[in-house]
Amino acid sequence: MILHQISNSQGNYHYNGIVYQRTAWRPHFHGSFELMYVAEGTVSISVNGVQDTLSPGELILINPYTVHSLRLEQGQAWVGVFSEDHVAAFAQKHKYTQYGKFRCPEGIEAILKAQLFYHGTPPRYLRISSLYLVCHWCLEKAQPQYSAQNNQFISDVITYVGQNIENNITLGDIAREMNYEYHYFSSLFNQSFSVNFKSFLNLLRIEQACTLLSDSKYTVTQVSEACGFASIRNFNRVFQKVCSCTPLEYRKAHHS
């Protein structure tokens, strides 16, 4: 089963930087960018079905909604997850192009070690400038990668749902849009996501709701409608099931 990390799918300059000495993540995706830097040892990684190994000094920038997994058994690696508003200009042009691993020049690497590659959260403008620095060298040094067929299917489904989140879409709608026979598409969907379509759609809708709830100019009813829920009652029920709190409780905790 592919895991949707809703906690890493928030907007409003969401950021989380962690140094790992041992970690493993099964295939998952989220709405934020993910940046990995290897300090010691090696990391085995799969991005959109492409297997690779990262060595010390190498980085990889993983785009939103890209299925990936990783394993670090020995050594040390830094992982930063950040919402795309940190690098909005880069995201507008490049978030649908997955790039491979790369290295920064030695002097730039030293700057990033001091300003970004540590356990914690740098000040907003310092991390924005550091992340744009990474994006520049990603474009300079990394090569575009191509998805394995199944992971391209996953990416296409997620993209379509994200672009039509406010509509009353069905599995049949997506099958027709992607030119699949319905029963084959349904089988491929279940195989790829290991969850039924209604649950999958609700996950993405709640992710979008969390982003909108962080902006107080939207009422809960407006958020519900923008995310495609038929009624505020159904929105509250699904939100509590996914997030273990009500939309109002989420907004209050976020603002505090």
Side-chain angles (χ1 to χ4, degrees), residues 32-255:
S32 296
F33 281 94
E34 182 169 324
L35 176 65
M36 172 170 283
Y37 167 78
V38 180
E40 302 172 9
T42 59
V43 173
S44 300
I45 192 166
S46 173
V47 181
N48 270 350
V50 178
Q51 306 289 331
D52 209 341
T53 300
L54 302 182
S55 301
E58 290 185 322
L59 301 93
I60 191 166
L61 180 62
I62 301 169
N63 287 351
Y65 301 110
T66 299
V67 178
H68 57 287
S69 61
L70 60 93
R71 178 175 296 275
L72 168 68
E73 295 185 348
Q74 292 183 340
Q76 184 171 286
W78 174 88
V79 176
V81 177
F82 58 96
S83 55
E84 64 180 68
D85 44 12
H86 283 87
V87 290
F90 173 85
Q92 185 176 10
K93 291 186 176 181
H94 303 287
K95 75 173 182 177
Y96 294 116
T97 302
Q98 178 58 49
Y99 292 89
K101 62 187 179 182
F102 62 100
R103 290 179 182 272
C104 291
E106 188 173 322
I108 301 299
E109 183 180 1
I111 292 172
L112 293 172
K113 283 183 178 179
Q115 296 184 169
L116 190 67
F117 300 156
Y118 61 84
H119 194 111
T121 303
R124 176 182 291 192
Y125 295 115
L126 185 60
R127 69 178 185 264
I128 289 174
S129 61
S130 299
L131 290 169
Y132 267 117
L133 194 58
V134 169
C135 290
H136 169 79
W137 288 107
C138 176
L139 294 177
E140 286 288 313
K141 300 291 187 179
Q143 295 296 318
Q145 299 293 302
Y146 298 95
S147 304
Q149 182 178 0
N150 189 54
N151 284 280
Q152 185 61 57
F153 171 84
I154 291 168
S155 178
D156 289 344
V157 170
I158 293 170
T159 299
Y160 179 85
V161 173
Q163 292 173 346
N164 295 274
I165 199 76
E166 75 281 4
N167 300 323
N168 185 26
I169 55 177
T170 67
L171 200 61
D173 294 331
I174 308 177
R176 284 189 296 272
E177 182 68 23
M178 294 175 60
N179 296 315
Y180 280 90
E181 189 276 327
Y182 174 80
H183 294 289
Y184 175 71
F185 180 86
S186 178
S187 176
L188 189 56
F189 180 91
N190 291 331
Q191 176 186 345
S192 298
F193 291 98
S194 298
V195 65
N196 65 56
F197 178 70
K198 183 178 180 180
S199 297
F200 171 79
L201 179 59
N202 281 338
L203 281 173
L204 293 190
R205 283 176 167 167
I206 294 303
E207 172 194 313
Q208 175 71 6
C210 288
T211 299
L212 295 178
L213 285 167
S214 66
D215 190 335
S216 58
K217 72 180 181 182
Y218 299 109
T219 68
V220 172
T221 299
Q222 289 173 325
V223 171
S224 172
E225 293 172 350
C227 296
F229 286 94
S231 69
I232 188 68
R233 180 179 180 182
N234 186 44
F235 173 55
N236 286 330
R237 180 183 61 80
V238 175
F239 194 98
Q240 182 138 14
K241 181 178 180 181
V242 173
C243 298
S244 300
C245 65
T246 68
L248 285 175
E249 289 170 343
Y250 178 90
R251 169 170 278 174
K252 183 178 178 180
H254 181 85
H255 284 200

